[in-house]
Amino acid sequence: MICEKKNLSYSENLRIWAKLQQKSIGFVVIKMNFAQKIGLSILLSLSFNLAWSQPKVDEKALAEEANILFNDLEYDAAYAKYSQLVSLYGSNPLYTFRFGASSIFVTVDREKSLAFMRDAIKRGYNDAEVHYYVAKALHLNYKFSEALTEYQAFEAQADKKTLSKSDVKGQIVTCKSGINLLSSIKDIQVLEKTKADIATFFRFYNVDESI
């Protein structure tokens, strides 16, 4: 009978124990309860020790490493550091901005880069560099006119030392070239439509250079 009771659920054993008040069954229930308590205490102990065994992040040291990498234009490595800083200390707009700025050179989603940078700007980060990196993201998204405005704002606000280390003059030139190029593109007009199989479509190409 004891073996049969062992196969029952914990709640069923408890009800039977309360009903019959037999020592043998009571022992089974108490043993199960004790095992559960031991298991729970071990899990809690392990979780507690694991949490305290994790190395604490030194914000100041991590930020210093990230800033050095960013200023040295090591954007891949800086991106990883700022990612960690943003996840731990997201209220700091500098970390958010530079995370977004670094991502311009690491990821292909420049809209997301702009979102991070603009969020930091809204929260008070207003260093002259904001104009350069916002311009860079816009530039790579072919928004040449908007990028040009930001480059020019950076050129007007940055100090001489910062300007001497930047490529802003060259970026302004390429933006202007991009604007001119886009303005010279004519609307495409469809002269004739023809359906063709994939295997034979090339036969319909007109290679007459005079057109």
XYZ file of all heavy atoms in Angstrom, residues 5-14 25-39:
199
model
N 0.847 4.486 -2.720
C 0.717 5.884 -2.342
C 1.866 6.723 -2.911
O 1.716 7.877 -3.198
C 0.679 6.017 -0.814
C -0.479 5.265 -0.162
C -1.818 5.636 -0.785
C -2.955 4.839 -0.176
N -4.233 5.109 -0.828
N 3.017 6.115 -3.085
C 4.166 6.841 -3.647
C 3.909 7.250 -5.091
O 4.454 8.222 -5.569
C 5.429 5.974 -3.581
C 6.023 5.887 -2.185
C 7.302 5.085 -2.233
C 7.935 5.003 -0.852
N 9.182 4.208 -0.856
N 3.102 6.483 -5.788
C 2.824 6.786 -7.186
C 1.772 7.881 -7.349
O 1.516 8.349 -8.441
C 2.347 5.533 -7.927
C 3.452 4.510 -8.066
O 4.619 4.894 -8.170
N 3.097 3.232 -8.066
N 1.121 8.244 -6.256
C 0.115 9.298 -6.326
C 0.789 10.664 -6.346
O 1.965 10.807 -6.008
C -0.820 9.203 -5.112
C -1.656 7.906 -5.011
C -2.446 7.917 -3.717
C -2.588 7.779 -6.205
N 0.001 11.655 -6.740
C 0.537 13.018 -6.748
C 0.744 13.504 -5.327
O 0.233 12.928 -4.360
C -0.427 13.958 -7.481
O -1.607 14.121 -6.729
N 1.506 14.583 -5.211
C 1.798 15.141 -3.890
C 0.517 15.570 -3.173
O 0.323 15.293 -1.993
C 2.735 16.340 -4.060
C 2.969 17.096 -2.778
C 3.774 16.557 -1.778
C 2.368 18.325 -2.551
C 3.984 17.238 -0.594
C 2.564 19.006 -1.375
C 3.389 18.469 -0.393
O 3.595 19.143 0.767
N -0.387 16.233 -3.891
C -1.620 16.706 -3.263
C -2.511 15.545 -2.827
O -3.146 15.583 -1.781
C -2.394 17.620 -4.217
O -2.725 16.927 -5.402
N -2.503 14.469 -3.618
C -3.297 13.296 -3.255
C -2.726 12.615 -2.017
O -3.458 12.196 -1.122
C -3.335 12.315 -4.429
C -4.210 12.791 -5.584
C -4.078 11.899 -6.793
O -2.993 11.349 -6.986
O -5.064 11.764 -7.529
N -1.431 12.514 -1.938
C -0.793 11.943 -0.762
C -1.105 12.752 0.487
O -1.324 12.206 1.571
C 0.723 11.887 -0.961
C 1.149 10.577 -1.593
O 0.966 9.513 -1.008
N 1.689 10.657 -2.796
N -1.111 14.075 0.317
C -1.376 14.945 1.458
C -2.793 14.759 1.976
O -3.030 14.704 3.189
C -1.153 16.407 1.042
C -1.197 17.439 2.179
C -0.125 17.129 3.212
C -1.011 18.836 1.613
N 2.173 6.297 5.927
C 1.809 7.215 4.847
C 2.306 8.609 5.176
O 2.773 9.346 4.326
C 0.289 7.213 4.625
C -0.174 5.805 4.261
C -0.113 8.212 3.569
C -1.663 5.653 4.133
N 2.187 8.955 6.447
C 2.696 10.258 6.865
C 4.162 10.392 6.584
O 4.632 11.462 6.193
N 4.893 9.296 6.743
C 6.331 9.327 6.475
C 6.614 9.611 5.001
O 7.495 10.372 4.659
C 6.954 7.989 6.885
C 8.395 7.864 6.508
C 9.380 8.533 7.225
C 8.776 7.097 5.424
C 10.706 8.428 6.867
C 10.106 6.992 5.063
C 11.064 7.657 5.786
N 5.821 8.995 4.125
C 6.008 9.213 2.690
C 5.787 10.675 2.344
O 6.553 11.291 1.626
C 5.037 8.325 1.878
C 5.090 8.689 0.403
C 5.384 6.857 2.076
N 4.697 11.237 2.882
C 4.381 12.631 2.589
C 5.452 13.557 3.134
O 5.919 14.462 2.461
C 3.005 12.996 3.180
C 2.719 14.469 2.983
C 1.921 12.139 2.542
N 5.864 13.311 4.361
C 6.881 14.166 4.979
C 8.192 14.053 4.223
O 8.878 15.035 3.994
C 7.069 13.776 6.466
C 5.808 14.122 7.259
C 8.269 14.464 7.065
C 5.788 13.573 8.672
N 8.520 12.858 3.780
C 9.747 12.652 3.029
C 9.723 13.416 1.717
O 10.693 14.049 1.319
C 9.942 11.160 2.768
C 11.260 10.821 2.096
C 11.411 9.327 1.918
C 12.732 9.006 1.238
N 12.906 7.548 1.036
N 8.623 13.387 1.037
C 8.484 14.122 -0.219
C 8.604 15.620 0.022
O 9.267 16.328 -0.707
C 7.126 13.795 -0.864
C 7.013 12.395 -1.433
S 5.373 12.068 -2.091
C 5.328 13.226 -3.436
N 7.940 16.078 1.035
C 7.962 17.497 1.355
C 9.377 17.942 1.702
O 9.836 18.989 1.295
C 6.996 17.785 2.506
C 6.766 19.263 2.708
O 6.730 20.009 1.738
N 6.605 19.666 3.945
N 10.073 17.128 2.455
C 11.448 17.436 2.854
C 12.365 17.482 1.628
O 13.197 18.374 1.471
C 11.928 16.375 3.842
C 13.357 16.574 4.267
C 13.700 17.588 5.165
C 14.360 15.756 3.773
C 15.008 17.775 5.551
C 15.675 15.943 4.157
C 15.999 16.951 5.057
N 12.180 16.516 0.707
C 12.994 16.478 -0.515
C 12.750 17.725 -1.357
O 13.677 18.298 -1.930
C 12.679 15.222 -1.320
N 11.494 18.121 -1.431
C 11.172 19.323 -2.206
C 11.829 20.552 -1.599
O 12.358 21.411 -2.293
C 9.653 19.511 -2.278
C 8.967 18.495 -3.176
C 7.462 18.668 -3.183
O 6.893 19.230 -2.253
N 6.823 18.156 -4.219
N 11.777 20.608 -0.271
C 12.396 21.751 0.395
C 13.903 21.777 0.176
O 14.491 22.830 -0.059
C 12.096 21.709 1.897
C 10.660 22.069 2.251
C 10.455 22.062 3.747
C 9.036 22.490 4.106
N 8.814 22.489 5.566
N 14.521 20.611 0.268
C 15.968 20.527 0.038
C 16.316 20.956 -1.383
O 17.234 21.735 -1.631
C 16.476 19.089 0.288
C 16.409 18.766 1.788
C 17.905 18.924 -0.215
C 17.321 19.609 2.638
N 15.530 20.435 -2.350
C 15.785 20.797 -3.748
C 15.621 22.277 -3.997
O 16.427 22.908 -4.679
